């Protein structure tokens, strides 16, 4: 028995169903593409070794924080921290040892901040911390605590006990802050602190 030709209504329904299927497929591909873009953006802002914001990611967080401070008159502090003696560790024991030191330092810093604060790696042996709602006195005390926490870290490479250490500089943040200027200010304070620490074998100098 010969098949009856499809009626116009059936042909129209088939076309609509096919169109819906195509649309569903396109939406699914679009969502997958959006997820992939989000993953790539997150990767671009994250340090692959330490899994904290890299310079790009940290500078973005700092700019957002300052914009918030300008709008709501909030305050905070920026601390730039440079690891001491990382190059000798890399030269003596290899970069795997240096990576272990950096991971331990990142973990030590992260343990001492609040969930709202940000710890980032600016590159090489330099870290930065964005801390909310701190006075100048509190910010300097926090920087000293970070230095002490890193000074107390101890590592064993090829049977030798090794310590790293760190020097920290502080810049206060508020409604009048500029992210680039704040980074420069904290960086300059860090180098002053580093020069000071070179003259203190294992004790802190008053005023440094």
């Amino acid at each position: 028995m010969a098949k009856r030709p499809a009626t116009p209504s059936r042909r129209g329904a088939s076309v609509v169903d096919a169109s819906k299927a195509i649309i569903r497929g396109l939406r699914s591909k679009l969502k997958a593409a959006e997820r992939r873009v989000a993953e790539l953006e997150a990767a671009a802002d994250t340090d692959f070794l330490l899994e904290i914001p890299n310079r790009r990611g940290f500078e973005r967080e700092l700019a957002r924080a300052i914009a918030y401070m300008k709008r709501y008159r909030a305050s905070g502090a920026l601390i730039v921290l440079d690891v001491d003696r990382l190059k000798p560790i890399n030269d003596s024991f290899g970069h795997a040892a240096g990576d272990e030191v950096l991971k331990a330092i990142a973990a030590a810093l992260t343990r001492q901040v609040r969930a709202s604060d940000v710890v980032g790696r600016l590159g090489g042996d330099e870290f930065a911390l964005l801390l909310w709602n701190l006075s100048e006195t509190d910010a300097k005390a926090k920087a000293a605590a970070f230095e002490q926490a890193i000074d107390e870290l101890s590592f064993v490479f090829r049977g030798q006990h090794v310590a790293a250490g760190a020097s920290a500089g502080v810049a206060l943040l508020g409604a009048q802050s500029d992210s680039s200027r704040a980074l420069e200010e904290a960086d300059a304070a860090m180098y002053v602190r580093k020069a000071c620490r070179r003259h203190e074998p294992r004790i802190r100098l008053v005023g440094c």
Side-chain angles (χ1 to χ4, degrees), residues 101-140:
V101 171
L102 290 172
K103 289 178 182 178
I105 289 172
L109 295 175
T110 302
R111 283 195 299 269
Q112 295 199 45
V113 300
R114 298 159 294 187
S116 58
D117 299 330
V118 181
V119 179
R121 183 186 183 191
L122 299 183
D125 55 2
E126 196 168 55
F127 291 81
L129 300 101
L130 169 61
L131 309 175
W132 288 90
N133 302 319
L134 290 181
S135 67
E136 182 176 4
T137 300
D138 290 339
K140 289 183 177 179

Side-chain angles (χ1 to χ4, degrees), residues 29-156:
K29 290 180 180 179
L30 177 59
K31 287 181 180 179
E34 289 173 343
R35 284 195 299 269
R36 182 57 179 158
V37 168
E39 290 171 358
L40 291 173
E41 287 180 345
D45 287 346
T46 303
D47 184 273
F48 74 95
L49 175 67
L50 306 181
E51 297 183 348
I52 59 176
N54 57 19
R55 175 178 283 274
R56 172 179 161 170
F58 185 84
E59 287 181 347
R60 177 179 293 181
E61 292 296 324
L62 178 60
R64 287 175 178 169
I66 290 176
Y68 180 93
M69 291 173 188
K70 288 180 177 179
R71 183 172 183 180
Y72 296 104
R73 299 292 174 180
S75 64
L78 169 66
I79 296 177
V80 169
L81 187 147
D82 190 75
V83 180
D84 300 328
R85 299 186 294 279
L86 184 64
K87 187 178 185 302
I89 291 173
N90 282 331
D91 292 345
S92 299
F93 304 104
H95 285 276
D99 289 349
E100 184 177 332
V101 171
L102 290 172
K103 289 178 182 178
I105 289 172
L109 295 175
T110 302
R111 283 195 299 269
Q112 295 199 45
V113 300
R114 298 159 294 187
S116 58
D117 299 330
V118 181
V119 179
R121 183 186 183 191
L122 299 183
D125 55 2
E126 196 168 55
F127 291 81
L129 300 101
L130 169 61
L131 309 175
W132 288 90
N133 302 319
L134 290 181
S135 67
E136 182 176 4
T137 300
D138 290 339
K140 289 183 177 179
K142 198 68 177 174
F146 291 143
E147 286 183 350
Q148 183 176 354
I150 294 171
D151 286 348
E152 292 174 352
L153 292 175
S154 180
F155 306 88
V156 179

Side-chain angles (χ1 to χ4, degrees), residues 15-35:
V15 171
V16 170
D17 290 342
S19 299
K20 287 181 178 179
I22 292 172
I23 292 171
R24 284 195 298 269
L26 291 173
R27 284 177 176 168
S28 177
K29 290 180 180 179
L30 177 59
K31 287 181 180 179
E34 289 173 343
R35 284 195 299 269

